[in-house]
Amino acid sequence: ASNPALFWGENTYTYRQLQDQTLCLGGRLMREAGIKPGDRVGLWLQNCPEFVPALFGALLAGAAVVPINNFLKPDEVNFILGDAGIDVLISEDDMAAAFAALKESRPGLRILRARDLIAGGGPTAGPGRAFPERGESDLAVIIYTSGTTGHPKGAMLSHGNLLHNVESCRQVLSAVREDRFVVVLPMFHSFMLTVSVLLPLIVGGSIVLVKSLHPLKNVIQEIYQRQGTILPAVPPFFRAMLSAPLPPGLPVRVCISGGAALPVQLLHDFNARMPIPLVEGYGLSEASPV
């Protein structure tokens, strides 16, 4: 319980802290927002520690979670809110400028700030109530496509879908509790959600949530400081790493490219010049036991 679960700048969050926050948030969603099994709860958050208890707290309350791209404009968010049937949105102050537009288009929408939901304790479902039981076939998340060829479409994934995908990733990466997963990409994306949020927490590892992404040396410094061992990112990030001066003793044992096609030449150059292997993320699902 006292093991580190998440690093954020100079702060360290233990498993017990994240569990308490998750219980608190899940209970408040049930008591104060009336969330019941099958309801949709949107997450419109930037990368932040609150993303983790918001995700698991909503799942604990029985909801299907809809992570929303934090770079979307209000009208794009409104489409997803309507399409998924979301009446409760967990967000943050940095998004507040769009709240009025969202509520105007969806008058019944309740926007709750993640930090408020985990403040003040109250880690129970409420008097005489218990968190609902959910099975592998129950809906867990709805992941929306980018919408580059039309309106975004929501992919509906069950708890079993997520668990099997995470298990395949665990097998391919040989992930263990000593691993520390470096997060440099948006947590709302399915790639990060699976490989850098669900996987490390299921194996008892740690999340290194990088606070400052630019310049690249900030990321490299954080990897060394927090001893990150698994680095998922996109091809441009690894291209930049090729020309970056790396001090000796890099703790990373494997890099995973996802989110876009990995050019063959980049894969060849990286694996020829770098002391750590780069693998294609799309291959992670090949070991799925489903």
Side-chain angles (χ1 to χ4, degrees), residues 137-161:
S137 61
D138 289 317
L139 182 63
V141 299
I142 303 176
I143 305 287
Y144 273 82
T145 61
S146 60
T148 52
T149 58
H151 284 306
K153 298 175 180 63
M156 304 172 74
L157 302 177
S158 69
H159 288 269
N161 291 148

Side-chain angles (χ1 to χ4, degrees), residues 18 23 31 33 43 55-56 76 92 98 112 115 118 168-170 180 186 188 191 207 225 230 234 264 272 275 283 290:
L18 291 186
L23 290 169
R31 295 193 310 271
L43 295 191
L55 169 68
F56 287 102
E76 295 171 318
E92 58 184 314
L112 309 175
R115 288 189 179 182
I118 61 177
S168 72
C169 294
R170 184 196 66 77
R180 295 185 173 184
F188 70 79
F191 178 38
I207 299 169
Q225 179 184 351
I230 296 180
V234 290
V264 174
V290 178

Side-chain angles (χ1 to χ4, degrees), residues 185-221:
L185 302 178
M187 298 169 81
F188 70 79
H189 194 277
S190 59
F191 178 38
M192 282 294 97
L193 195 63
T194 302
V195 178
S196 292
V197 178
L198 298 178
L199 176 57
L201 296 179
I202 282 178
V203 302
S206 305
I207 299 169
V208 180
L209 188 52
V210 178
K211 202 168 188 178
S212 178
L213 300 179
H214 303 287
L216 179 62
K217 67 178 182 180
N218 290 345
V219 180
I220 302 300
Q221 180 179 347

Side-chain angles (χ1 to χ4, degrees), residues 57-185:
L59 292 173
L60 192 62
V65 178
V66 185
I68 300 174
N69 185 337
N70 57 275
F71 298 106
L72 294 182
K73 298 176 182 178
D75 61 329
E76 295 171 318
V77 176
N78 269 325
F79 172 81
I80 293 176
L81 296 179
D83 188 66
I86 297 170
D87 292 318
V88 174
L89 179 67
I90 300 176
S91 193
E92 58 184 314
D93 288 339
D94 286 345
M95 309 295 195
F99 290 172
L102 297 182
K103 289 183 176 180
E104 183 178 356
S105 296
R106 195 168 180 82
L109 180 68
R110 292 190 62 180
I111 301 178
L112 309 175
R113 287 168 171 80
R115 288 189 179 182
D116 294 341
L117 288 171
I118 61 177
T124 63
R129 302 180 67 183
F131 291 114
E133 295 207 6
R134 308 295 281 162
E136 283 199 13
S137 61
D138 289 317
L139 182 63
V141 299
I142 303 176
I143 305 287
Y144 273 82
T145 61
S146 60
T148 52
T149 58
H151 284 306
K153 298 175 180 63
M156 304 172 74
L157 302 177
S158 69
H159 288 269
N161 291 148
L162 295 179
L163 289 172
H164 286 304
N165 196 22
V166 169
E167 174 59 16
S168 72
C169 294
R170 184 196 66 77
Q171 293 179 26
V172 172
L173 297 173
S174 299
V176 294
R177 64 182 300 175
E178 288 77 21
D179 278 316
R180 295 185 173 184
F181 292 70
V182 182
V183 177
V184 297
L185 302 178

Side-chain angles (χ1 to χ4, degrees), residues 11-12 60 201 246:
N11 297 320
T12 299
L60 192 62
L201 296 179
L246 297 178

